[in-house]
Amino acid sequence: MKDEMKYGTYSTYNAAIVRKNLEEKQRSQSKYLADMSLTLLEEGDRKAAALVALEGFLLKKTKGLM
């Protein structure tokens, strides 16, 4: 019984770490896409800027961040 509890605790701990790392990666990716979109907009490429921004939005929506 103790081994099962240890494994459960270990699994829960690992799942929390994986979730935290995933959220950090998604946050970083979102910032990158926002910066890229802004750069494209400043260069006058509105269509590409909108597409990049939309990609960031779709990533958030499909990954449950909204």
Side-chain angles (χ1 to χ4, degrees):
M1 182 71 169
K2 287 184 181 181
D3 287 337
E4 292 171 358
M5 289 178 61
K6 287 180 186 177
Y7 180 74
T9 301
Y10 177 74
S11 294
T12 302
Y13 174 75
N14 277 340
I17 289 175
V18 167
R19 178 72 179 165
K20 179 183 172 195
N21 290 339
L22 175 63
E23 288 172 358
E24 288 175 8
K25 181 178 179 187
Q26 289 171 336
R27 202 171 295 116
S28 175
Q29 187 176 21
S30 179
K31 287 179 183 179
Y32 171 78
L33 290 171
D35 287 342
M36 178 62 74
S37 180
L38 182 59
T39 298
L40 289 166
L41 185 60
E42 289 171 348
E43 292 173 353
D45 193 348
R46 293 183 297 163
K47 184 177 179 180
L51 290 173
V52 170
L54 182 58
E55 178 68 22
F57 175 75
L58 292 174
L59 286 173
K60 284 183 179 182
K61 189 173 181 180
T62 59
K63 292 181 180 178
L65 295 177
M66 294 190 67

